[in-house]
Amino acid sequence: MALACLCAALGFTMPTVMPAVSPAGAPNQIWRWRGQDIRYQALGEANVDGPTVVLCHGLFVNSDHWRRNLGPLAAAGLRVFAIDLLGSGWSSKPAATAEASRSISGERGRALGAPRARLGTADGGSREAAVELAHPLGSVYNFYTWAEQLADFTREVARADRASIVANSIGCIASLQAAIDCPALFDGVLMVCPNFRELHVAESPALLRPVTAAVQAGLRRFGQSLFDAVAQPDTVKAILRTPYYDDALVTDELVSALLPPLLTPGASDVVFDTLSYSAGPLPEAQLQDARLEHTAVWVIQGSEDPWTPARRVAALSRLRPVQKVITLDAVGHCPHDEAPDQVNPLIVEFARACACARDE
């Protein structure tokens, strides 16, 4: 109640339930998946001859992060869908490690170990490391669950035989995994500022791993009060100023699109569980998977992205599926929201190129 009063005083509208219409002007819809409610929005479904594109959001946000892309993409002739991943946005947030949740996990039935893989370095070099794939706590919130969700959504809701995925940040990992699992379904992945997951054990120095594990355990056990302090409009706005290069784009409207779902029951537990996810697939290793042989991959990078090393992103061009690495000037980690006038045409070009290659 105190938070609601604070938001009202600051002029924010903080819905306690999912609004009927999204900020993009699309109806908010629910898809029932493995016993869970999954929120999605769609525009351009009447473009029956246009390419199908699925938009996959990044960490701790939701499909409203694509509010500046959905309409223009549909207007350009695409069938465009945006989904809230399980545990994010207005989608269900089941208990991370409950037996019922484990039964719907994408890790179930997979042989997950710690294979060695060739990974990148911040300066564009390479190194070899063991990549632990299984979630250390057995949580349902893992990239394999989200990958299976994306594939089922594309078949059942988008009703597409072939589609492209456009993803931001860690959404790129779920999207690459979906393409690896279902190469006949996805003909392209457009990665917008891919995340290399510094909290992964393969990404952090061995000396720091015990410290990281202790912090993660502390957050899981005592983090609720910290979450309550952080999940407020002024604090969220301050946090968003880090990944966004242009402060003027961190508006009340952006905060009101991203914050309300984080105040729903179970959201804080998902946040702490995700921060404890120190395993799972990594993008460079995924891009070396032979199942992506016929999948087109483009990468968009913001020149001022503080979270994704530019030289490491540029080095992705050495990997066979990566056809283009495009750098946009004066934008940060979220180019689709910071510079939609530049990104939307690239998405259209990418989707059409994938469709043309498919028809050849």
Side-chain angles (χ1 to χ4, degrees):
M1 181 64 70
L3 180 56
C5 293
L6 173 62
C7 293
L10 292 174
F12 288 90
T13 300
M14 302 297 287
T16 56
V17 296
M18 183 180 71
V21 178
S22 77
N28 281 323
Q29 303 184 68
I30 293 295
W31 167 53
R32 193 74 175 163
W33 181 72
R34 298 184 181 178
Q36 308 298 317
D37 288 340
I38 304 299
R39 178 266 194 128
Y40 74 94
Q41 45 191 308
L43 288 174
E45 291 180 274
N47 298 327
V48 292
D49 295 325
T52 298
V53 173
V54 176
L55 306 177
C56 181
H57 62 79
L59 186 66
F60 304 146
V61 295
N62 61 76
S63 60
D64 289 335
H65 209 201
W66 300 100
R67 69 202 184 285
R68 305 181 72 187
N69 314 102
L70 280 153
L73 295 178
L78 274 56
R79 301 176 68 248
V80 58
F81 300 80
I83 187 173
D84 287 3
L85 296 175
L86 184 72
S88 297
W90 298 109
S91 288
S92 293
K93 301 169 180 68
T97 56
E99 192 58 37
S101 300
R102 292 178 193 271
S103 70
I104 67 172
S105 171
E107 289 190 349
R108 185 184 56 166
R110 295 182 188 251
L112 301 177
R116 297 196 69 80
R118 180 68 57 180
L119 304 178
T121 62
D123 62 0
S126 64
R127 61 192 171 85
E128 191 174 277
V131 180
E132 295 279 354
L133 295 177
H135 193 296
L137 304 178
S139 167
V140 67
Y141 300 114
N142 60 72
F143 290 111
Y144 300 103
T145 301
W146 294 321
E148 291 178 5
Q149 180 186 350
L150 287 167
D152 289 346
F153 176 80
T154 301
R155 296 188 193 97
E156 297 175 19
V157 179
R159 298 185 182 278
D161 295 326
R162 301 284 292 180
S164 302
I165 311 182
V166 179
N168 176 230
S169 195
I170 68 163
C172 297
I173 301 175
S175 299
L176 284 173
Q177 191 60 47
I180 289 168
D181 291 345
C182 305
L185 180 61
F186 297 108
D187 48 27
V189 179
L190 175 53
M191 302 197 296
V192 182
C193 293
N195 185 281
F196 296 110
R197 300 196 61 218
E198 289 78 2
L199 290 177
H200 197 291
V201 291
E203 290 294 317
S204 58
L207 200 61
L208 293 180
R209 290 173 193 169
V211 177
T212 300
V215 171
Q216 291 171 330
L219 285 173
R220 291 195 302 272
R221 188 173 180 184
F222 305 112
Q224 187 61 52
S225 59
L226 174 62
F227 183 87
D228 291 340
V230 169
Q232 298 187 29
D234 54 344
T235 307
V236 170
K237 184 179 285 190
I239 292 171
L240 286 171
R241 290 193 179 104
T242 298
Y244 277 71
Y245 177 65
D246 185 353
D247 284 357
L249 296 174
V250 182
T251 62
D252 291 353
E253 184 268 342
L254 173 64
V255 175
S256 65
L258 302 184
L259 179 56
L262 285 170
L263 304 178
T264 56
S268 61
D269 292 338
V270 176
V271 169
F272 300 137
D273 179 79
T274 305
L275 291 174
S276 301
Y277 186 18
S278 53
L282 291 172
E284 287 138 341
Q286 290 176 306
L287 287 166
Q288 295 170 65
D289 193 300
R291 287 169 288 182
L292 291 181
E293 180 180 3
H294 301 295
T295 303
V297 176
W298 291 12
V299 183
I300 295 175
Q301 170 71 357
S303 66
E304 306 302 323
D305 184 347
W307 291 346
T308 308
R311 294 169 75 177
R312 187 168 183 176
V313 174
L316 294 177
S317 62
R318 297 196 296 253
L319 301 175
R320 184 170 58 179
V322 179
Q323 298 177 352
K324 293 185 181 183
V325 176
I326 303 162
T327 300
L328 301 181
D329 292 335
V331 293
H333 191 65
C334 309
H336 60 292
D337 193 44
E338 295 181 69
D341 290 346
Q342 297 182 66
V343 173
N344 289 335
L346 290 172
I347 295 175
V348 173
E349 180 186 355
F350 176 72
R352 290 176 177 167
C354 290
C356 287
R358 177 194 322 152
D359 294 337
E360 290 178 354

